[in-house]
Amino acid sequence: MMTVLLRNADEKSISRLSGSLGKKGLKIVGMEKMGKTHALIETGAISIATQPQDVELAAEPKCSKQFRLASREMSLGDTVVKLNGGVEVGGRQLALIAGPCSVESEEQLLQTAIEVQKAGAQILRGSVFKPRTSPYDFQGLGVEGLSILESIREETGMLIETEVMEPSHVKLVEPFVDMLRIGSRNMQNFELLREAGRSEKPVILKRGLSATVNEFLLAAEYILSEGNPNVILCERGIRTFMTETRNTLDLNCVPLIKALSHLPVIVDPSHGTGKADLVLPMSKAGIAVGADGLMIEVHPNPKAALSDNAQQLTPSQFADLVKKCVPVANAVGRTMRSE
Amino acid sequence: MMTVLLRNADEKSISRLSGSLGKKGLKIVGMEKMGKTHALIETGAISIATQPQDVELAAEPKCSKQFRLASREMSLGDTVVKLNGGVEVGGRQLALIAGPCSVESEEQLLQTAIEVQKAGAQILRGSVFKPRTSPYDFQGLGVEGLSILESIREETGMLIETEVMEPSHVKLVEPFVDMLRIGSRNMQNFELLREAGRSEKPVILKRGLSATVNEFLLAAEYILSEGNPNVILCERGIRTFMTETRNTLDLNCVPLIKALSHLPVIVDPSHGTGKADLVLPMSKAGIAVGADGLMIEVHPNPKAALSDNAQQLTPSQFADLVKKCVPVANAVGRTMRSE
Amino acid sequence: MMTVLLRNADEKSISRLSGSLGKKGLKIVGMEKMGKTHALIETGAISIATQPQDVELAAEPKCSKQFRLASREMSLGDTVVKLNGGVEVGGRQLALIAGPCSVESEEQLLQTAIEVQKAGAQILRGSVFKPRTSPYDFQGLGVEGLSILESIREETGMLIETEVMEPSHVKLVEPFVDMLRIGSRNMQNFELLREAGRSEKPVILKRGLSATVNEFLLAAEYILSEGNPNVILCERGIRTFMTETRNTLDLNCVPLIKALSHLPVIVDPSHGTGKADLVLPMSKAGIAVGADGLMIEVHPNPKAALSDNAQQLTPSQFADLVKKCVPVANAVGRTMRSE
Amino acid sequence: MMTVLLRNADEKSISRLSGSLGKKGLKIVGMEKMGKTHALIETGAISIATQPQDVELAAEPKCSKQFRLASREMSLGDTVVKLNGGVEVGGRQLALIAGPCSVESEEQLLQTAIEVQKAGAQILRGSVFKPRTSPYDFQGLGVEGLSILESIREETGMLIETEVMEPSHVKLVEPFVDMLRIGSRNMQNFELLREAGRSEKPVILKRGLSATVNEFLLAAEYILSEGNPNVILCERGIRTFMTETRNTLDLNCVPLIKALSHLPVIVDPSHGTGKADLVLPMSKAGIAVGADGLMIEVHPNPKAALSDNAQQLTPSQFADLVKKCVPVANAVGRTMRSE
């Protein structure tokens, strides 16, 4: 039995593929709609195809009953998310995302951007919408922060990612950023996942505080099944009995996900530990275990930050981190941009 | 120091209260806006007042820095949420909410409603929007289900609650239901909380899978600070290492919340255990520990249910549960409607 | 297939039983030694028999592969542990165990004993060996404390239980106490379990901080398989992400264990919450859910206690607790001794 | 304030040190006995001294109230445990411990020993006493297994470590092994810790399933305070809600412990993941994060193993692991013995 997946396929392309498969002696025995994607159930091959001509053949497919589009069984190889400027997530070179927890001002973001870019980061983290436990805490600059993101992108040429917290944010931020981020608290905000699935922008999906890997991949499936193939999974620590660290960074999950799924995985040791001192060693560990990139919180003056003071690095600590991670990346066959 | 809270106060009523306090020899030393609520910081008393004339005095207030409107310190007594037909949540009589996990058809819901009402339930549970881990699972009847809710409400006279999963659902479901429910996965969907805070309908807020009590009360604070005072907290089990039950119903949290907050607390032993056999004993325990009500999943044919098969009771099991819970309710000074 | 269990059976009684079964037309198809207990595998019945003549028949036995002697399938009814003075654990009357966390002096223990006995407790808790997280904390009075236990037992006539921490403690404390207690940290100290299994004294086995119910019952199985049938399981809270209570009292486990095993279960809300204020409501919940008794920490002056200050009750708080628990006990068909 | 620690000090050496400190103008203001170690509380310096002449001075000591001998503040540098044959744990070269979960036969152990030694392991893991959840599972070869350990040690010259489960095991196994291991379930078996503290053999102490780092270091303190300075901490996974891996290997704890304590830390990715496929990537991560060594389960035929089938590597998988870990070790400034 083979399954061919057609993303965003119209009637015409489905019928064209069906014909071309027929010419190869394959008969379509069924079809299943998964969001905007169609699965043509056949004999002999599996592929994720955006165009019927992309169909390729693989032996002995076993389609997982739960996550399908996210499953390694449904893919011929690892997904590499391609961004502007030749930046990739999931390729040989590690992706390095850095920036402040929250955008606080243009000055703060620009200073951070210049320094993290120089140190090796290709992508700037910058949240303008902040999910905060208390309604009385700083909630981010909101819509006003978007123009800051825009001007920093122009000035530095860096790629920019930002958090979306509700469905309406997706369209709102698209013009200003290169990637969307869905935070831990929203990993199962299914309307938000669906809306991100309708976007052209790649999506960084952070693991929920108490999500299993199965639940994590099924959340990705919500995005994939709407037609957006560019999902990057981010391990950022789970909630356990441990109170001496903010969260427990679960590196077990990186090779576990790699075995189950073709999607790229990055690691966020800033939230995963909650302690600036632990960010460097856990970054090395994240690279060694096989992650495709890191997301690190960097602030020009962590003590004065409006959120996450204890875990943000200074720009010079970040530059030092990159230098010390390069040999580890090389030791596991990866490269890393650095000063 | 005293704090007077004014909900939805306009300039005029604030100035009027300020004057009336002045006549009592109290001087306003500050004012803080928490959402649509104003806190007038004074000497000697605390109250939540919807009308300035409601202001009462209490000694030695200590305002919690985190949750304020949810805090017991900010209230002169327990909040009792008043619903149509004289039904209350937080009063001497326990509130009994029952119904299927998902609304599957008018027939299914009507049959359930008639039976649970007869057995003692005042409020019908009925989800038409279902947050499901997998995008390929039954997602609820959606908007079409709302007319079912409406006709059952008319036919039976029961109060009806339903889940809202995104901000736009709030206005959508308001005409059809008596209460809104925010599920565990959305406990920190802050935009949804804010929108529910702008509704006239009482809100059942379910505890997140890995939420502390502090985080739970701060989520309630998002609703309260938008001006909606009718929040009912629902303990429904937390995620622990235990896999022999679906979740671990944390009854410790009921008296803990009662000590910290004036809000009513109900218990959901269906999700809290995930096993039909454990629902009765844990219902008794929930009542004994001081909960203000129960939410129980009941389905005419649990084995055929489209979700949560293992934990739903049959109507006759539910009727038996109510009968066996009445003596426990009486033993702790509460009453319970029963056949 | 039927399994007959013979406890402490010698060759002669096995052969006698084998003969008597033969007369009933049953053929022994195998025999398995589980510690000092023999299982005779047959067709048609299951029983735990201390004497061959006790053998009874039951239909459709399904022997659990894991815990056997602890399994409900292996028993014809609930185990009732019988103690001196007609006190029982597992019968209709609830067992009430109370006393200080640690024995600190004869005066302290005597005062506590007199007061808790008057309030309704039948069994005095008194630890002389204390497992403490730090080697620099008070480690208990040790051997010297045993004579205090002895004199209090004489003076008050109360039954006494105490903790054993290593195999050699079992024989050491036997002459002075009526029950042994194995603490959470030692739930999988297998040598200690085996040694307690060779004792004549009933054993209270506390659940480990992160033990599943399966692991808990298998720990009991270590004791049972050495020949001691009198095991009382004690739920005392598990370790979860919750830090606002010392542990999370897992009442789900009480009916879960009752479904799986014939052994009596008691609840310790003092350790299960770590907060004196929560002990009363959680005691009521424990009784309502079906526990066979309570273990409560009581100290004449909790603030001055050498351990567990925050969770111990005063004698008058304890007397109040008993009075308030009696109606709950009655509501679920149990009785409770009280002043 | 300064604290001088004297291990195993007699009256005479204490008085001698007191005099020599006096000559430096330092006055002893107090003395505290911690097991066999004395702390002389002074002004200006901290040191762990086995001989009074070893006393050195350090600035600004802050003595942790909880763990003292384990604390970094109490030491002038990292502890390096020195074993026979120049093997060290805590030095620049990583320690590599490998072998079967259980010793099953001389043949099995010899074959494993030869292969893991060839691949780079310096220390052979071999348990003859096995703590098993069920009393009906294989419990290890027991005393008879000790002669197997002895003959393998002679034949291969490898260092050997084995588990001790109760106090009496310590003296029993000492003649046959080079290191003692205390397992997770016994991390708070305080009598066992004390007995290991009286041994001349280094002790590998495995973290408990739900132990915080503070509790872990206090367990080490029980050993240290009896006079045994050679404690090696082993992270082996904690119990969390995650069921897709056997445990959650908590690598956060490695740099956290390194910041708090001078003791060496090794990592056990076999138990930490429970899946053979994850052992290699998590070994790399463990080395990258700064661990001083690895403990890996290796069995000639994992599928036929009497315990832990799913997580043991074959000898050739182990040899491959070592080769792939060497570059990571080098990348973080460590060396690793390999074929």
Side-chain angles (χ1 to χ4, degrees):
Chain A
M1 190 70 104
M2 130 181 159
T3 305
V4 176
L5 297 178
L6 291 177
R7 239 177 348 242
N8 294 317
D10 55 17
E11 290 300 308
K12 205 168 137 188
S13 63
I14 290 172
S15 119
R16 187 149 42 94
L17 174 63
S18 168
S20 85
L21 287 171
K23 282 177 199 152
K24 293 182 184 166
L26 300 172
K27 199 180 140 207
I28 292 174
V29 295
M31 186 176 322
E32 190 177 359
K33 206 172 168 297
M34 296 179 282
K36 288 186 185 166
T37 299
H38 293 74
L40 280 67
I41 296 146
E42 276 289 338
T43 340
I46 273 188
S47 172
I48 292 184
T50 45
Q51 301 298 328
Q53 60 267 33
D54 292 346
V55 176
E56 297 192 35
L57 303 181
E60 295 184 29
K62 286 170 300 174
C63 180
S64 160
K65 273 162 212 146
Q66 297 225 282
F67 42 90
R68 299 174 194 183
L69 301 170
S71 170
R72 176 160 293 286
E73 298 158 3
M74 293 308 250
S75 170
L76 291 174
D78 289 333
T79 286
V80 178
V81 174
K82 289 170 202 286
L83 300 160
N84 285 337
V87 175
E88 292 178 348
V89 187
R92 189 156 179 268
Q93 188 178 63
L94 298 178
L96 199 48
I97 304 170
C101 177
S102 312
V103 176
E104 296 167 8
S105 70
E106 183 159 350
E107 193 183 8
Q108 171 237 27
L109 193 63
L110 179 60
Q111 186 187 342
T112 312
I114 290 170
E115 302 221 43
V116 299
Q117 188 179 32
K118 192 177 152 209
Q122 306 112 325
I123 304 165
L124 183 67
R125 173 198 159 96
S127 300
V128 298
F129 302 111
K130 290 296 307 168
R132 298 304 299 274
T133 301
S134 167
Y136 309 126
D137 286 343
F138 174 62
Q139 306 277 316
L141 294 181
V143 180
E144 296 163 33
L146 291 173
S147 61
I148 298 181
L149 296 183
E150 189 171 37
S151 70
I152 303 297
R153 181 154 68 155
E154 264 178 43
E155 236 169 305
T156 63
M158 283 191 88
L159 300 172
I160 291 195
E161 63 87 71
T162 203
E163 177 156 5
V164 286
M165 283 174 61
E166 56 163 322
S168 71
H169 285 168
V170 173
K171 290 245 173 318
L172 190 65
V173 309
E174 274 183 347
F176 304 97
V177 300
D178 301 281
M179 306 172 85
L180 309 175
R181 177 173 13 105
I182 294 179
S184 289
R185 290 177 184 85
N186 285 311
M187 193 202 82
Q188 292 191 317
N189 183 335
F190 299 119
E191 290 303 318
L192 178 59
L193 296 175
R194 282 199 189 95
E195 188 63 24
R198 293 172 206 124
S199 172
E200 298 292 316
K201 302 288 181 181
V203 180
I204 299 169
L205 177 64
K206 300 191 95 175
R207 183 178 178 190
L209 270 178
S210 58
T212 62
V213 161
N214 189 53
E215 291 166 345
F216 194 13
L217 290 173
L218 282 167
E221 192 80 11
Y222 269 90
I223 302 172
L224 296 169
S225 68
E226 290 295 325
N228 186 342
N230 293 314
V231 177
I232 296 154
L233 302 170
C234 179
E235 160 62 26
R236 47 75 74 206
I238 56 174
R239 184 164 279 184
T240 69
F241 67 83
M242 268 293 286
T243 52
E244 295 152 316
T245 46
R246 183 176 177 183
N247 292 296
T248 297
L249 194 70
D250 175 20
L251 293 183
N252 276 354
C253 91
V254 178
L256 187 63
I257 291 172
K258 290 282 180 186
L260 295 170
S261 176
H262 53 85
L263 294 173
V265 185
I266 64 172
V267 164
D268 171 357
S270 301
H271 287 89
T273 65
K275 299 196 164 191
D277 285 355
L278 303 188
V279 174
L280 169 58
M282 290 306 281
S283 294
K284 291 180 190 170
I287 293 169
V289 88
D292 297 302
L294 299 174
M295 179 183 288
I296 312 275
E297 286 192 350
V298 181
H299 190 283
N301 182 4
K303 284 185 189 166
L306 297 181
S307 51
D308 284 357
N309 311 52
Q311 75 197 31
Q312 301 199 59
L313 300 187
T314 62
S316 74
Q317 286 172 323
F318 176 70
D320 180 58
L321 176 147
V322 178
K323 270 179 213 141
K324 288 179 173 155
C325 283
V326 168
V328 180
N330 296 341
V332 293
R334 308 295 283 260
T335 61
M336 201 168 163
R337 220 186 125 232
S338 76
E339 221 174 328
Chain B
M1 189 71 103
M2 128 182 163
T3 305
V4 177
L5 297 178
L6 291 177
R7 244 183 339 250
N8 294 317
D10 55 16
E11 289 300 311
K12 206 169 139 186
S13 64
I14 291 173
S15 120
R16 188 150 42 96
L17 174 63
S18 168
S20 84
L21 287 172
K23 282 176 199 155
K24 294 183 185 168
L26 299 172
K27 199 180 140 207
I28 292 173
V29 294
M31 187 175 323
E32 189 177 357
K33 206 171 167 300
M34 296 179 284
K36 287 185 184 167
T37 300
H38 294 74
L40 280 68
I41 297 147
E42 274 290 339
T43 339
I46 272 186
S47 173
I48 293 184
T50 47
Q51 301 298 330
Q53 59 268 34
D54 291 346
V55 175
E56 297 193 35
L57 302 182
E60 294 185 30
K62 285 171 299 172
C63 180
S64 160
K65 274 162 210 145
Q66 297 223 284
F67 42 92
R68 298 174 195 182
L69 301 171
S71 170
R72 179 161 291 285
E73 298 158 4
M74 294 310 249
S75 171
L76 291 174
D78 289 334
T79 286
V80 178
V81 174
K82 290 170 203 285
L83 300 159
N84 286 336
V87 175
E88 291 179 347
V89 187
R92 188 155 178 268
Q93 187 178 64
L94 297 179
L96 199 47
I97 305 171
C101 177
S102 312
V103 176
E104 295 168 8
S105 70
E106 182 159 351
E107 194 185 7
Q108 170 237 27
L109 193 62
L110 180 59
Q111 186 186 341
T112 312
I114 290 170
E115 302 222 42
V116 300
Q117 189 179 31
K118 193 179 151 210
Q122 308 112 325
I123 304 165
L124 182 66
R125 172 197 160 96
S127 300
V128 297
F129 302 110
K130 289 296 307 169
R132 297 305 299 274
T133 302
S134 166
Y136 309 126
D137 286 343
F138 174 61
Q139 307 277 314
L141 295 181
V143 179
E144 295 163 34
L146 292 173
S147 61
I148 298 181
L149 297 183
E150 189 171 36
S151 69
I152 303 298
R153 181 155 65 156
E154 263 176 44
E155 236 169 304
T156 63
M158 282 192 87
L159 301 173
I160 292 195
E161 63 86 72
T162 203
E163 176 156 4
V164 287
M165 283 174 60
E166 55 161 320
S168 71
H169 285 168
V170 174
K171 290 246 173 317
L172 190 64
V173 309
E174 274 183 349
F176 304 97
V177 299
D178 301 282
M179 305 171 85
L180 310 175
R181 177 172 15 105
I182 293 178
S184 290
R185 292 177 182 85
N186 285 312
M187 192 201 83
Q188 292 191 318
N189 183 335
F190 298 119
E191 291 303 317
L192 178 59
L193 297 175
R194 281 200 190 96
E195 189 63 23
R198 292 174 207 123
S199 173
E200 298 292 315
K201 302 287 183 184
V203 181
I204 298 170
L205 177 64
K206 298 192 97 174
R207 183 177 176 190
L209 270 179
S210 58
T212 62
V213 162
N214 188 54
E215 290 166 347
F216 194 13
L217 290 173
L218 282 167
E221 193 80 12
Y222 269 90
I223 302 172
L224 296 169
S225 67
E226 291 295 324
N228 186 342
N230 293 314
V231 177
I232 296 155
L233 303 170
C234 180
E235 161 62 26
R236 46 77 72 210
I238 56 174
R239 185 163 276 186
T240 69
F241 66 84
M242 268 293 286
T243 52
E244 294 152 318
T245 45
R246 182 176 178 185
N247 293 296
T248 298
L249 194 69
D250 175 21
L251 293 183
N252 275 354
C253 90
V254 178
L256 187 62
I257 291 172
K258 289 281 181 188
L260 295 170
S261 176
H262 54 85
L263 296 173
V265 184
I266 64 172
V267 163
D268 170 356
S270 302
H271 286 89
T273 65
K275 299 196 163 189
D277 285 354
L278 303 188
V279 173
L280 169 58
M282 291 306 281
S283 294
K284 291 180 190 170
I287 293 169
V289 87
D292 297 302
L294 299 175
M295 178 182 289
I296 311 275
E297 287 192 348
V298 181
H299 190 281
N301 183 3
K303 283 184 190 167
L306 297 180
S307 51
D308 285 356
N309 311 51
Q311 76 196 32
Q312 301 199 58
L313 301 187
T314 63
S316 75
Q317 286 173 324
F318 176 71
D320 180 58
L321 177 148
V322 177
K323 270 179 214 143
K324 288 182 173 153
C325 283
V326 169
V328 180
N330 297 341
V332 294
R334 308 295 283 260
T335 60
M336 202 166 162
R337 220 185 126 232
S338 76
E339 222 174 327
Chain C
M1 189 72 104
M2 131 182 159
T3 305
V4 177
L5 297 179
L6 291 178
R7 242 182 340 249
N8 294 316
D10 55 18
E11 289 300 309
K12 205 168 138 190
S13 63
I14 291 172
S15 121
R16 187 149 44 94
L17 174 64
S18 168
S20 83
L21 287 170
K23 283 176 199 154
K24 294 183 186 167
L26 300 171
K27 200 181 138 205
I28 292 173
V29 295
M31 188 178 318
E32 189 177 358
K33 205 171 168 300
M34 296 180 282
K36 287 185 185 168
T37 300
H38 293 74
L40 279 67
I41 297 146
E42 274 290 337
T43 338
I46 273 187
S47 173
I48 293 184
T50 46
Q51 300 298 326
Q53 60 268 33
D54 292 346
V55 175
E56 297 191 34
L57 302 182
E60 295 184 28
K62 287 170 299 174
C63 180
S64 161
K65 274 163 211 145
Q66 297 223 284
F67 42 91
R68 299 175 194 182
L69 301 171
S71 169
R72 178 161 291 285
E73 298 158 3
M74 295 307 251
S75 170
L76 292 173
D78 289 333
T79 286
V80 179
V81 174
K82 290 170 202 286
L83 300 160
N84 285 337
V87 175
E88 292 179 347
V89 187
R92 187 153 181 268
Q93 187 178 64
L94 298 178
L96 199 48
I97 305 170
C101 177
S102 313
V103 176
E104 296 168 7
S105 69
E106 184 159 350
E107 193 184 8
Q108 170 237 26
L109 193 63
L110 180 59
Q111 187 186 341
T112 312
I114 290 169
E115 302 220 42
V116 299
Q117 189 179 33
K118 193 178 151 210
Q122 307 110 326
I123 304 165
L124 181 68
R125 173 197 158 96
S127 301
V128 298
F129 303 111
K130 290 297 307 168
R132 298 304 299 276
T133 302
S134 165
Y136 310 126
D137 286 342
F138 174 60
Q139 307 277 316
L141 294 181
V143 179
E144 295 164 33
L146 293 172
S147 60
I148 297 180
L149 297 183
E150 189 171 37
S151 70
I152 303 298
R153 181 154 68 156
E154 263 177 44
E155 237 169 305
T156 64
M158 284 190 86
L159 301 172
I160 292 194
E161 62 87 72
T162 203
E163 176 157 4
V164 287
M165 285 173 59
E166 55 162 321
S168 71
H169 286 168
V170 173
K171 290 245 174 318
L172 190 64
V173 309
E174 274 182 348
F176 304 97
V177 299
D178 301 281
M179 307 172 84
L180 309 175
R181 178 173 13 106
I182 293 178
S184 289
R185 292 177 182 85
N186 284 312
M187 193 202 82
Q188 292 190 317
N189 183 336
F190 299 119
E191 291 304 317
L192 178 59
L193 296 174
R194 282 199 189 95
E195 188 64 23
R198 291 172 208 125
S199 173
E200 298 293 314
K201 301 288 181 183
V203 180
I204 299 169
L205 178 63
K206 299 192 95 175
R207 183 176 178 192
L209 270 178
S210 57
T212 62
V213 161
N214 188 54
E215 290 166 346
F216 193 13
L217 290 173
L218 283 167
E221 192 80 12
Y222 269 90
I223 301 172
L224 296 169
S225 68
E226 291 295 326
N228 186 344
N230 294 314
V231 177
I232 296 154
L233 302 170
C234 179
E235 160 61 27
R236 47 75 73 206
I238 56 175
R239 185 164 277 186
T240 70
F241 67 83
M242 269 292 286
T243 52
E244 293 152 317
T245 45
R246 182 175 177 184
N247 293 295
T248 297
L249 194 70
D250 175 20
L251 293 182
N252 276 354
C253 90
V254 178
L256 187 62
I257 292 173
K258 290 280 180 188
L260 296 170
S261 177
H262 54 85
L263 295 173
V265 185
I266 63 172
V267 163
D268 170 357
S270 302
H271 287 89
T273 65
K275 298 195 165 191
D277 285 354
L278 304 187
V279 173
L280 169 59
M282 291 306 282
S283 294
K284 291 180 190 172
I287 292 169
V289 89
D292 298 302
L294 299 173
M295 180 183 287
I296 311 276
E297 287 192 350
V298 181
H299 190 282
N301 182 4
K303 284 186 189 165
L306 297 180
S307 51
D308 286 357
N309 310 53
Q311 74 196 32
Q312 301 200 58
L313 301 186
T314 62
S316 74
Q317 286 173 323
F318 175 72
D320 180 59
L321 177 148
V322 178
K323 271 180 213 142
K324 288 178 173 154
C325 283
V326 169
V328 180
N330 296 340
V332 293
R334 309 294 285 260
T335 60
M336 202 167 162
R337 219 185 127 232
S338 75
E339 222 176 328
Chain D
M1 189 72 104
M2 129 184 162
T3 305
V4 177
L5 297 177
L6 291 178
R7 245 186 334 253
N8 294 317
D10 55 16
E11 290 299 309
K12 204 168 139 186
S13 63
I14 291 172
S15 119
R16 187 149 44 94
L17 174 63
S18 167
S20 84
L21 287 171
K23 282 178 199 153
K24 294 182 185 169
L26 300 171
K27 198 179 141 206
I28 293 172
V29 294
M31 185 174 325
E32 190 177 358
K33 205 171 168 300
M34 296 179 284
K36 288 187 185 168
T37 300
H38 294 74
L40 279 68
I41 297 148
E42 274 289 338
T43 339
I46 271 186
S47 172
I48 292 183
T50 45
Q51 301 298 329
Q53 59 268 34
D54 292 345
V55 175
E56 297 193 36
L57 303 182
E60 294 184 30
K62 286 170 299 173
C63 180
S64 160
K65 273 163 213 144
Q66 298 224 283
F67 42 92
R68 299 174 193 183
L69 301 170
S71 169
R72 178 161 290 287
E73 298 158 3
M74 295 309 250
S75 170
L76 292 173
D78 288 334
T79 287
V80 178
V81 173
K82 290 171 202 285
L83 300 160
N84 285 338
V87 174
E88 291 178 349
V89 186
R92 189 157 178 265
Q93 188 179 64
L94 297 178
L96 199 46
I97 304 170
C101 177
S102 311
V103 175
E104 296 167 7
S105 70
E106 182 158 353
E107 194 184 6
Q108 169 237 29
L109 192 63
L110 180 60
Q111 186 187 340
T112 313
I114 290 169
E115 302 221 44
V116 300
Q117 187 179 34
K118 193 177 151 208
Q122 307 111 325
I123 303 165
L124 182 66
R125 173 196 159 95
S127 299
V128 297
F129 302 110
K130 289 295 307 169
R132 298 305 297 275
T133 301
S134 166
Y136 309 126
D137 286 343
F138 174 61
Q139 306 278 316
L141 295 181
V143 179
E144 295 162 34
L146 292 173
S147 61
I148 298 181
L149 297 183
E150 188 170 38
S151 70
I152 304 298
R153 181 154 68 156
E154 263 177 43
E155 238 170 303
T156 63
M158 282 192 88
L159 300 173
I160 292 194
E161 64 86 74
T162 203
E163 177 156 3
V164 286
M165 283 174 62
E166 54 163 320
S168 72
H169 285 168
V170 173
K171 290 248 173 317
L172 190 64
V173 309
E174 274 183 348
F176 304 96
V177 299
D178 301 283
M179 305 171 85
L180 310 175
R181 177 173 15 105
I182 293 178
S184 289
R185 291 177 182 85
N186 285 312
M187 192 202 83
Q188 292 191 318
N189 183 334
F190 299 119
E191 290 304 318
L192 179 59
L193 296 174
R194 282 200 189 95
E195 188 64 23
R198 292 173 207 123
S199 172
E200 298 292 315
K201 302 287 181 182
V203 181
I204 298 170
L205 177 64
K206 300 191 95 174
R207 184 177 177 191
L209 270 178
S210 58
T212 62
V213 161
N214 188 53
E215 289 166 347
F216 194 13
L217 290 173
L218 282 167
E221 192 80 12
Y222 268 90
I223 302 173
L224 296 169
S225 68
E226 290 296 325
N228 186 343
N230 293 314
V231 177
I232 296 155
L233 302 170
C234 180
E235 161 61 26
R236 48 77 73 208
I238 56 174
R239 184 163 277 187
T240 70
F241 67 84
M242 269 293 285
T243 52
E244 295 152 317
T245 46
R246 181 176 179 184
N247 292 297
T248 298
L249 194 70
D250 175 21
L251 293 183
N252 275 355
C253 91
V254 178
L256 187 62
I257 292 173
K258 290 281 181 187
L260 295 170
S261 175
H262 54 86
L263 295 173
V265 184
I266 64 172
V267 164
D268 170 356
S270 302
H271 287 89
T273 66
K275 300 196 164 192
D277 286 354
L278 303 188
V279 173
L280 169 58
M282 291 305 282
S283 294
K284 291 180 189 170
I287 293 170
V289 87
D292 298 301
L294 299 174
M295 178 182 290
I296 312 275
E297 286 192 350
V298 181
H299 190 282
N301 182 3
K303 282 183 191 170
L306 297 181
S307 51
D308 285 358
N309 311 51
Q311 74 197 31
Q312 301 199 59
L313 301 186
T314 63
S316 75
Q317 285 173 323
F318 176 72
D320 180 59
L321 177 148
V322 178
K323 268 179 213 143
K324 287 179 174 154
C325 283
V326 168
V328 180
N330 296 340
V332 293
R334 308 295 284 259
T335 61
M336 203 168 162
R337 220 184 126 231
S338 76
E339 222 173 330

